[in-house]
Amino acid sequence: MHYDVIIIGAGYSGLAAALRLREAGKKFLVLEARDRVGGRVHTQQIDDHTYVDLGAAWVGPTQDRMYELLKERGITTFKTYDQGKSTLQFDAGKVKTYKGLIPPLPVGSLLTLDRAIKRINNLSKSIDPAQPWRADQAQKWDAMTLQAWLDKNLPFRKARELFKIAAESIWAADPNEFSFLHALFYARSGRDLDTLMNIENGAQEERIQGGAQRLALKMAEELGEAIKLNEVVVSIDQREDEVEVTTRTGNYWSKKVIVAIPPLLIPRITFTPELPTNQRQLFERMPMGNVFKTFAIYEKPFWRDKNLNGLAVTNNGFTTVTFDNSPEDGSRGILMGFVLANRAKQFLNLPDEERKATILDSFARLFGEESRQALQYLDHGWAGEEFSGGCYAAFMPTGVWTSLGSNIRTPFNHVHWAGTETATEWNGYMEGAVRAGERAAAEVLPFV
Ligand code: FAD
């Protein structure tokens, strides 16, 4: 029951921290609340060959640690299907298809859209992702939402709408909810806005063969009995040279603790002594996004025969962004539609049958009547998950980065902070989770 380090949470961050401690020969324990590892990454098997990623799915260039961990374990990746034309529909207007990255919008809208993206990329270069609150214009940018900036800088409605859909698909939150400084920080942390939005050369470039949870399961297998599932941590008691961690079922002791759970969930744990006030307020002010992934599974990816790539953008209906999520060999067709931000809040209130009907209606509008012939429909919302509290990740409302943000990684006596929300690179992504876990392990190693 006595360890060098106890890690709380067996998502990618906790698992990555644990592997580092194992390499260093330390005695450690990972306590995980759920009955599975992976956290916000959860692959559901449909049949022997077919699976869906209910949570995270994609990896892309510069996510180097994820690629290394995958490679070391012989897990391969494959390109996201993007051959053929994409689909666009505004309001109840005509469904249009287009090739490449430039949607069929009036020239004025396209120009302002392009200018806005370039401007955000340029402004984000002035941000140090390790301390966004230090940027020259941090106070000004943190005082406005991304939406306020868009209202000022994107005069054309269609351009603004399209940007809003893109923003919601990056943050799973309404641009009214988070600060412009946070948007700049996030873009910087993931390279730039284009990288966050795109398939090719972007964060959606590849999927993991067998599903995104496969790596987590493999890491957990290597860690063996050092992981305890169904252990909900309820209190952390710090003494001079020892920490007592209490779960709903037992007590454990260690020299150091790494907390690798979403920030919003941290204040649910009782700390003795209490969390420093500024740190507690910071965690309490980091709400999580809101997202449903919806899936329709078909005999074949029929849209590919029409030269469509399954990628659609629309502001009509609940799902605003869709992807082809079929297995690499196309042995089944899978359309995945995101329901994001405020739409996800309304979607949550619909009965199951209505959810299915409205999503299949949308797919039929975008890809043809065959969309109604789904072999199976399923969806998964993350806001209701007790041990996630929402997804994809936490965001910063106005004023939070500049008033409290500097507390984000400050150790609290023997307690150190991991989790993707503490990452400086690829914050909000699996890559950020891994890097944050490894950083927290490096912090505690000299002391154990
Ligand atoms: P988590 O995965 O949240 O792990 C925290 C763990 O702590 C959980 O297992 C939880 O059960 C456990 N826990 C919580 N409270 C307690 C407690 N009191 N005691 C013990 N254990 C506790 N990222 C990408 O890179 N690519 C994508 O395509 C992508 N898409 C996404 C799509 C969706 C729908 C979602 C939900 C997320 C997506 N993400 C994506 C984000 C990605 O999943 C996360 O950034 C990453 O998995 C976070 O890992 P983590 O270890 O920091 O946190």
Side-chain angles (χ1 to χ4, degrees):
M1 296 301 191
H2 287 259
Y3 300 87
D4 293 321
V5 184
I6 290 176
I7 298 167
I8 303 173
Y12 271 116
S13 207
L15 293 170
L19 282 184
R20 281 284 149 95
L21 296 173
R22 194 180 76 136
E23 279 158 26
K26 300 300 170 192
K27 191 175 173 208
F28 62 92
L29 179 68
V30 184
L31 296 170
E32 167 55 50
R34 287 178 164 104
D35 60 1
R36 61 171 182 85
V37 300
R40 284 172 261 177
V41 182
H42 189 188
T43 305
Q44 184 167 321
Q45 207 64 36
I46 304 291
D47 59 38
D48 285 353
H49 304 290
T50 323
Y51 59 86
V52 290
D53 275 314
L54 302 174
W58 290 286
V59 285
T62 75
Q63 297 185 349
D64 301 336
R65 285 300 297 136
M66 277 299 286
Y67 276 105
E68 280 159 16
L69 289 169
L70 288 162
K71 195 167 169 214
E72 283 159 17
R73 285 153 190 87
I75 301 175
T76 53
T77 54
F78 64 98
K79 297 275 180 228
T80 301
Y81 189 84
D82 66 348
Q83 307 300 306
K85 291 181 173 174
S86 306
T87 308
L88 176 76
Q89 189 191 29
F90 268 112
D91 308 321
K94 194 167 177 287
V95 175
K96 296 180 178 170
T97 58
Y98 63 101
K99 206 148 176 56
L101 287 174
I102 303 170
L105 289 184
V107 179
S109 293
L110 281 180
L111 286 176
T112 52
L113 199 57
D114 184 55
R115 209 178 305 138
I117 293 171
K118 287 201 173 107
R119 200 154 152 63
I120 288 184
N121 286 339
N122 272 335
L123 293 177
S124 75
K125 283 193 193 128
S126 71
I127 303 237
D128 172 359
Q131 35 189 4
W133 55 89
R134 282 260 169 99
D136 277 353
Q137 302 204 58
Q139 293 292 342
K140 180 178 141 197
W141 293 335
D142 210 23
M144 67 173 108
T145 60
L146 173 60
Q147 186 64 51
W149 188 88
L150 294 177
D151 289 344
K152 239 175 147 179
N153 290 276
L154 270 178
F156 294 101
R157 183 186 75 89
K158 282 194 173 169
R160 217 169 36 242
E161 287 263 316
L162 199 63
F163 196 105
K164 185 171 150 82
I165 294 170
E168 287 177 0
S169 68
I170 293 173
W171 284 280
D174 189 286
N176 256 324
E177 291 182 287
F178 53 94
S179 90
F180 185 54
L181 179 64
H182 183 65
L184 295 176
F185 153 77
Y186 206 79
R188 175 75 173 157
S189 134
R191 208 156 66 171
D192 57 30
L193 211 49
D194 302 271
T195 310
L196 298 188
M197 286 191 296
N198 290 345
I199 293 182
E200 197 182 336
N201 218 6
Q204 285 70 234
E205 187 168 272
E206 297 204 304
R207 284 163 56 209
I208 297 169
Q209 199 64 261
Q213 200 187 352
R214 206 170 138 212
L215 173 64
L217 292 167
K218 202 91 183 85
M219 289 160 88
E221 199 181 297
E222 291 161 28
L223 294 165
E225 290 184 357
I227 304 182
K228 276 182 178 276
L229 300 176
N230 302 305
E231 288 278 20
V232 181
V233 171
V234 293
S235 72
I236 296 177
D237 222 321
Q238 300 198 63
R239 292 162 209 143
E240 203 169 316
D241 49 14
E242 189 184 55
V243 188
E244 182 175 353
V245 177
T246 305
T247 70
R248 285 182 191 162
T249 54
N251 297 49
Y252 305 91
W253 291 264
S254 62
K255 296 176 196 149
K256 295 280 173 192
V257 169
I258 294 175
V259 177
I261 71 176
L264 193 65
L265 305 184
I266 295 171
R268 286 193 198 160
I269 297 173
T270 305
F271 284 84
T272 311
E274 281 180 20
L275 273 175
T277 307
N278 282 339
Q279 202 154 39
R280 179 178 50 75
Q281 285 220 324
L282 169 67
F283 297 152
E284 285 169 352
R285 286 170 197 201
M286 293 179 69
M288 303 291 282
N290 205 322
V291 54
F292 268 84
K293 268 190 170 182
T294 67
F295 301 89
I297 299 166
Y298 301 94
E299 201 72 62
K300 289 278 170 252
F302 62 86
W303 52 93
R304 295 184 184 179
D305 298 337
K306 305 180 188 186
N307 196 27
L308 296 177
N309 56 22
L311 186 69
V313 174
T314 177
N315 64 348
N316 182 3
F318 280 100
T319 180
T320 50
V321 179
T322 73
F323 285 89
D324 181 330
N325 259 196
S326 311
E328 186 183 15
D329 62 4
S331 55
R332 280 267 185 264
I334 305 182
L335 281 176
M336 189 280 287
F338 277 119
V339 179
L340 295 153
N342 292 338
R343 282 181 172 85
K345 293 169 195 162
Q346 295 164 15
F347 196 67
L348 188 65
N349 292 331
L350 298 183
D352 290 356
E353 271 312 304
E354 240 177 273
R355 294 218 291 251
K356 175 179 173 181
T358 182
I359 294 299
L360 293 187
D361 273 352
S362 294
F363 289 171
R365 213 177 53 242
L366 297 165
F367 305 111
E369 282 302 308
E370 305 94 309
S371 307
R372 298 190 193 281
Q373 310 306 321
L375 301 174
Q376 192 179 341
Y377 166 85
L378 69 153
D379 61 37
H380 188 78
W382 284 85
E385 291 246 355
E386 183 183 1
F387 298 112
S388 295
C391 267
Y392 325 118
F395 59 84
M396 297 289 200
T398 50
V400 178
W401 263 129
T402 45
S403 63
L404 296 164
S406 62
N407 299 286
I408 186 81
R409 285 175 295 275
T410 313
F412 167 36
N413 301 339
H414 299 301
V415 176
H416 293 247
W417 311 105
T420 194
E421 282 79 8
T422 69
T424 55
E425 282 174 273
W426 286 106
N427 186 292
Y429 289 75
M430 294 182 279
E431 175 75 14
V434 167
R435 290 188 192 215
E438 292 177 346
R439 187 255 315 139
E443 279 173 15
V444 301
L445 272 173
F447 302 101
V448 295

